[in-house]
Amino acid sequence: MTDRVAIEPVIDYLTGLQERICEGIKAADGDGAFREDTWTRAEGGGGRSRVLAEGRVFEQAGINFSHVAGESLPPSATAHRPELAGRRFQATGVSLVIHPRNPYIPTSHANVRFFIAEKDGAEPIWWFGGGFDLTPYYGNDEDCGHWHAVARRACEPFGEDVYPRYKKWCDEYFFLRHRNEPRGIGGLFFDDLNEWGFEKSFAFMKSVGDHYLDAYLPIVERRRDTPYGERERDFQLYRRGRYVEFNLVYDRGTLFGLQSGGRTESILMSLPPLVRWRYNWRPEPGTPEARLYEHYLKPRDWI
């Protein structure tokens, strides 16, 4: 590996990405504004959290930049990577979750991140990770095809096998084992990426981040004015419960943030403002709600 590993250009890219995505989401909403909080972390680093609440299109949109550092890693990081023990670390990323008001617009999530652990006299250990995924309430084949076509386009310059591999990883990662169902229709997920060297790995992370708005905003525009009533809203709130369950039980970023002393408000801004659980609820056969389970919550080739 001959290229130089440096966190500064990654931070520059990520802060710019947060800015661009906030601008795109604000323009699509047309009414709401982002509240910004900058914060520092006692152990090192900090971040910039931006939340749009009660907008015209988006009930809540949280877009977070963070750059944290420390002298030792939390258990979530060292459990499967014992070689990281005893190293100081830096982690930086942009993470976002967009919860729309209209149930016909899917919830979307994206994250791109970089991690480096260093020790005097030793080579640094580093990697990139991230991806984006889509969680519809009332699925639409056109939307699913568009989302995955853009995901494939983000991967194409890096090899024909990249999209199929990271699509499969996304399907497997965003899966609620206790429910035996996927969270949504997937997209891309990658982690521990360093085998391409720093420059190419960084370029791939940037491609994923740069394609998010292209993947999501056309879907928002197509569905934003779809009429809905209490039935659709009720189902949306019920299905949001799955989102909460995944983020609190399985999500690596949530666990890392909480265990590393991150800012709780920023970590949990991914949760929807309103949600509903029901005991042992099942959709009636033949309904649009049942179709979500039968057709959309099944890993498939959407392109």
Side-chain angles (χ1 to χ4, degrees):
M1 209 175 296
T2 58
D3 46 359
R4 177 175 171 265
V5 178
I7 196 170
E8 292 80 13
V10 181
I11 292 171
D12 288 343
Y13 168 76
L14 292 171
T15 54
L17 178 67
Q18 183 195 35
E19 196 74 40
R20 285 187 283 125
I21 293 177
C22 286
E23 289 172 359
I25 293 297
K26 182 180 178 182
D29 187 86
D31 195 28
F34 280 94
R35 168 186 171 181
E36 178 177 296
D37 290 326
T38 57
W39 50 274
T40 57
R41 179 173 169 273
E43 295 84 353
R48 184 174 67 184
S49 298
R50 291 179 175 174
V51 177
L52 184 156
E54 297 301 324
R56 181 185 305 169
V57 176
F58 303 113
E59 194 168 0
Q60 183 165 293
I63 304 170
N64 188 51
F65 163 77
S66 63
H67 172 216
V68 301
E71 293 301 314
S72 61
L73 286 152
S76 62
T78 58
H80 303 293
R81 301 288 295 265
E83 70 274 20
L84 298 175
R87 287 176 175 255
R88 60 187 180 274
F89 75 94
Q90 295 185 74
T92 187
V94 165
S95 181
L96 64 98
V97 177
I98 312 297
H99 291 291
R101 188 179 300 282
N102 190 316
Y104 287 95
I105 305 175
T107 284
S108 72
H109 160 257
N111 170 254
V112 283
R113 58 189 180 270
F114 175 68
F115 176 91
I116 184 167
E118 297 175 283
K119 186 178 181 179
D120 293 342
E123 286 291 313
I125 298 172
W126 60 269
W127 63 79
F128 290 93
F132 50 67
D133 65 286
L134 195 70
T135 306
Y137 306 97
Y138 291 90
N140 182 288
D141 285 10
E142 180 186 11
D143 295 347
C144 297
H146 167 78
W147 180 262
H148 278 276
V150 175
R152 182 175 66 181
R153 195 156 67 238
C155 297
E156 280 175 341
F158 301 89
E160 293 182 0
D161 65 323
V162 175
Y163 167 72
R165 179 154 45 103
Y166 291 156
K167 176 195 179 294
K168 181 175 185 291
W169 198 349
C170 188
D171 290 337
E172 293 171 350
Y173 179 72
F174 290 104
F175 188 83
L176 288 87
R177 294 189 292 275
H178 63 285
R179 298 282 189 181
N180 194 33
E181 66 182 45
R183 187 169 83 174
I185 60 107
L188 299 171
F189 180 86
F190 67 101
D191 207 0
D192 303 322
L193 178 64
N194 58 19
E195 66 264 27
W196 292 338
F198 180 81
E199 290 300 330
K200 185 177 178 181
S201 300
F202 184 21
F204 179 70
M205 187 203 78
K206 288 190 286 187
S207 185
V208 172
D210 292 345
H211 279 81
Y212 166 73
L213 287 177
D214 293 341
Y216 190 50
L217 291 187
I219 298 172
V220 173
E221 289 304 310
R222 283 196 292 265
R223 309 301 160 204
R224 60 184 295 161
D225 296 321
T226 305
Y228 68 93
E230 284 302 313
R231 171 178 175 158
E232 291 88 353
R233 176 65 167 166
D234 188 65
F235 185 60
Q236 178 195 46
L237 297 186
Y238 172 75
R239 287 297 309 174
R240 280 179 176 177
R242 299 293 206 269
Y243 213 92
V244 174
E245 290 174 23
F246 182 88
N247 278 27
L248 296 183
V249 176
Y250 300 115
D251 188 72
R252 295 181 189 175
T254 301
L255 296 176
F256 177 83
L258 294 174
Q259 291 182 2
S260 61
R263 183 174 185 256
T264 302
E265 288 300 308
S266 298
I267 297 164
L268 298 183
M269 73 177 188
S270 63
L271 302 182
L274 294 173
V275 65
R276 181 173 295 155
W277 278 270
R278 290 180 181 172
Y279 176 74
N280 203 28
W281 183 83
R282 297 287 187 275
E284 291 292 328
T287 62
E289 292 79 16
R291 183 163 168 77
L292 177 74
Y293 295 84
E294 296 162 359
H295 182 68
Y296 292 98
L297 298 184
K298 308 279 187 185
R300 63 176 72 231
D301 181 1
W302 288 107
I303 301 176

